[in-house]
Amino acid sequence: MVRFLNIRWLVLLMMVVASISCSETKIESQEINYGDVVQFDLDSIQKRGKIILLTENSASTYYLYRNQVRGFDFEMVRAYAKHLGVRLEVIILDDVDKMFEMLNTGQGDIIASSLTVTPERTRHVAFSTPVYQTRQVLVQRKIYRDSSNIPEILVHDSTEINLLPIWVHRYSSFYQRLAEMENQFGVDINIQDAPGEISTDDLIRLVDDGSIPATVTDENLAMMERTSYSEIDFSVPVTSLQNIAWALRPNAKSLLGSINDWLALKKTKSKLESTYKNYFSSDDFEPYNKNYAMPPITPGAISPFDSLFKVYAPQIGWDWRLLSALAYQESRFNPNAVSRSGAFGLMQLMPETAIRFGCDSAPDPTCSVAAGAKYLKYLQGLWKKRVPNPTERDKFVLASYNIGQGHIIDAQNLAKELGMADTIWDGHVAEALLLKQQEKYYSMPCVKHGFCHAKEPYHFVGKILALYEHFKSETKP
């Protein structure tokens, strides 16, 4: 099903190519009217008691994870709002031009959405001190020329950029850079205008599965995706380091000064560094497959916490070894484990979830397992009517434990909308969950929780069930 849907996208892309070819002209930049700029500065924001962030729903900006809002841009603007002593309101948009319009007409106060500072943009908005710097890199598919299975790439440096058609959005900084390179190198680059409904993240996926040959993205975003895709190369830069900053109304002088002063603080710089590392460093995600390594088991015991699993598993109607498998996958049986997202303890509960189900932030194994069991029981109740089959229901419960029930309910709704079986996990709802990485699907009316880092929960269920079978083969009930 996923492959079929990518082919449909390819047809759409080919239609766009045809329309461009028929015109035999390059797409020229157009002057965009972002509306009259209202006067609404820091004093008005403080008097109102809230600051309004304009951003997009993506892996680096704003998304929902384990029922908690996350995202680099969201976290940093939230920290600034706390510094000001005002509430933060977030408006999610998928159109940068609309963000600029809403900013200048007073419907938002800050755009924080991985914006590259460009000369064209500085004509319409003011930019803060850079929050970080990154380069643009070419995203191209690897080539396998012979039976050696050693991958090669077609473009080795920026002077060969004309060797591949490159899909980017018309008004993006990526398009602007490619147009500059045409003049710089005196070559015609085959720049293809990507439809607006297909995000940059989606374009990377289309390169990976071979639907399009190349696109361009920011290097820090490429680092986030590096372990998720096996067939693409990010090694060729097309720019030097560029500034990424927040956009403000050009007449909001006091707000600009306040933000820049805050960004210059030592504690802010420390938070920027740690938050950037949390989001943009490559993770150690390992997909589930037939070679997934099983942990060794000491004869007669799975872990030092077997007695706890044996007490709490019956309370949710589970085999204690299934609860052990979940704990192993979450924390490797380390009661002091803390994830980059803030999940902690043996069962890796988010702080808010742990407190809700009776456990504070202390890494106490008994407390963690007890709270984890209560959370699982809650999820079982939520899915009981939605998924009648108990075996299938366990898969929905596990996926919900990993990423939050909202995303899994979305996936079930999406599966139904696309004609899949909405009560069967493998091959149906699991595949629909993967589609929640693509803007075309996470923006559908039946999807309420937006973008999802879907590969982790997609593989999480298979890992838990494989661990469970492994534990059963080595221990007694």
Side-chain angles (χ1 to χ4, degrees):
M1 176 61 75
V2 175
R3 182 65 176 177
F4 170 72
L5 291 166
N6 281 337
I7 291 173
R8 287 176 58 191
W9 281 13
L10 183 56
V11 171
L12 175 61
L13 291 168
M14 291 172 67
M15 290 171 64
V16 176
V17 173
S19 66
I20 294 171
S21 299
C22 289
S23 67
E24 296 184 351
T25 59
K26 284 272 186 182
I27 300 172
E28 300 294 337
S29 62
Q30 301 176 11
E31 183 67 25
I32 301 173
N33 181 10
Y34 292 121
D36 296 330
V37 182
V38 302
Q39 182 63 51
F40 198 85
D41 208 341
L42 179 62
D43 56 343
S44 300
I45 291 170
Q46 291 176 314
K47 184 176 180 180
R48 184 180 60 190
K50 71 176 179 181
I51 192 165
I52 302 173
L53 164 65
L54 305 174
T55 190
E56 64 181 324
N57 187 196
S58 76
S60 63
T61 54
Y62 179 100
Y63 63 94
L64 196 64
Y65 176 79
R66 294 192 173 191
N67 305 318
Q68 306 297 319
V69 177
R70 300 199 72 221
F72 173 84
D73 291 299
F74 167 76
E75 286 200 26
M76 292 309 305
V77 178
R78 181 177 61 180
Y80 175 66
K82 183 178 180 180
H83 168 76
L84 283 186
V86 299
R87 293 181 292 109
L88 174 64
E89 178 181 322
V90 182
I91 297 177
I92 302 300
L93 301 165
D94 59 4
D95 184 332
V96 173
D97 292 335
K98 184 66 175 176
M99 290 184 195
F100 280 24
E101 177 186 335
M102 291 181 67
L103 178 72
N104 284 338
T105 57
Q107 299 171 75
D109 303 308
I110 297 176
I111 301 174
S113 192
S114 302
L115 281 184
T116 304
V117 179
T118 68
E120 173 62 24
R121 287 172 175 169
T122 56
R123 294 174 55 198
H124 304 285
V125 297
F127 281 101
S128 69
T129 300
V131 291
Y132 61 83
Q133 292 183 314
T134 190
R135 302 184 298 180
Q136 294 180 19
V137 294
L138 181 69
V139 182
Q140 60 182 316
R141 188 171 169 82
K142 297 174 183 177
I143 302 169
Y144 298 90
R145 299 187 185 276
D146 52 41
S147 59
S148 65
N149 206 35
I150 298 175
E152 302 177 14
I153 53 176
L154 184 61
V155 176
H156 295 85
D157 60 56
S158 58
T159 62
E160 301 176 334
I161 201 75
N162 61 321
L163 297 180
L164 282 173
I166 303 173
W167 294 86
V168 289
H169 295 112
R170 182 186 311 187
Y171 298 115
S172 67
S173 59
F174 308 135
Y175 186 97
Q176 293 173 21
R177 174 54 184 159
L178 292 174
E180 290 171 0
M181 293 176 74
E182 285 190 316
N183 296 327
Q184 179 181 352
F185 298 130
V187 298
D188 288 328
I189 300 174
N190 190 349
I191 309 172
Q192 301 292 349
D193 182 30
E197 68 183 74
I198 301 178
S199 69
T200 300
D201 288 345
D202 298 333
L203 290 172
I204 294 173
R205 295 182 186 91
L206 290 172
V207 175
D208 185 67
D209 72 19
S211 296
I212 61 174
T215 187
V216 175
T217 192
D218 289 325
E219 188 173 37
N220 61 322
L221 301 180
M223 290 298 294
M224 292 178 68
E225 303 285 3
R226 186 173 63 179
T227 57
S228 297
Y229 301 108
S230 59
E231 300 303 321
I232 49 181
D233 176 85
F234 298 108
S235 66
V236 177
V238 297
T239 68
S240 56
L241 286 174
Q242 296 182 307
N243 292 328
I244 306 297
W246 297 350
L248 315 168
R249 280 180 291 277
N251 59 2
K253 305 296 185 182
S254 296
L255 179 61
L256 176 63
S258 171
I259 289 173
N260 286 343
D261 288 345
W262 178 73
L263 288 170
L265 295 175
K266 184 176 180 180
K267 66 177 182 179
T268 306
K269 290 180 179 180
S270 177
K271 181 171 178 59
L272 267 173
E273 182 179 353
S274 62
T275 307
Y276 184 93
K277 183 178 179 180
N278 280 344
Y279 284 97
F280 297 119
S281 59
S282 181
D283 60 26
D284 298 321
F285 171 73
E286 181 183 3
Y288 171 66
N289 55 47
K290 63 181 180 180
N291 297 319
Y292 185 66
M294 293 292 125
I297 298 176
T298 303
I302 294 174
S303 76
F305 310 103
D306 288 0
S307 59
L308 286 177
F309 301 134
K310 289 176 181 179
V311 168
Y312 289 100
Q315 297 180 15
I316 54 175
W318 274 14
D319 185 323
W320 70 274
R321 293 166 296 186
L322 178 55
L323 190 57
S324 297
L326 176 58
Y328 174 81
Q329 184 58 40
E330 287 287 4
S331 67
R332 296 300 191 268
F333 298 135
N334 177 7
N336 298 307
V338 179
S339 75
R340 292 195 298 188
S341 64
F344 69 92
L346 204 59
M347 302 303 293
Q348 286 293 281
L349 295 170
M350 296 295 286
E352 295 86 350
T353 304
I355 292 170
R356 177 183 174 186
F357 292 99
C359 186
D360 61 21
S361 60
D364 175 72
T366 302
C367 185
S368 184
V369 176
K374 290 177 183 177
Y375 182 35
L376 289 164
K377 192 172 185 65
Y378 162 78
L379 292 173
Q380 287 175 331
L382 185 148
W383 287 106
K384 188 171 184 178
K385 291 184 178 180
R386 288 177 172 270
V387 184
N389 183 285
T391 301
E392 285 299 318
R393 190 188 309 140
D394 280 344
K395 299 174 185 178
F396 285 75
V397 167
L398 288 169
S400 299
Y401 190 96
N402 177 260
I403 199 67
Q405 65 269 24
H407 286 306
I408 310 306
I409 291 171
D410 279 351
Q412 188 181 49
N413 293 338
L414 186 56
K416 186 175 182 179
E417 184 77 13
L418 298 175
M420 303 178 186
D422 64 347
T423 59
I424 298 176
W425 179 256
D426 296 308
H428 295 272
V429 176
E431 300 303 320
L433 180 64
L434 284 180
L435 294 178
K436 272 174 56 67
Q437 298 177 112
Q438 302 173 10
E439 186 174 349
K440 179 178 180 179
Y441 298 100
Y442 68 66
S443 60
M444 289 175 66
C446 65
V447 175
K448 306 300 182 184
H449 297 85
F451 170 86
C452 176
H453 273 294
K455 287 200 172 185
E456 181 182 346
Y458 177 87
H459 290 281
F460 183 83
V461 175
K463 290 176 180 178
I464 299 298
L465 296 179
L467 284 163
Y468 176 40
E469 293 301 320
H470 173 58
F471 290 167
K472 285 199 298 183
S473 70
E474 300 292 332
T475 58
K476 295 180 180 180

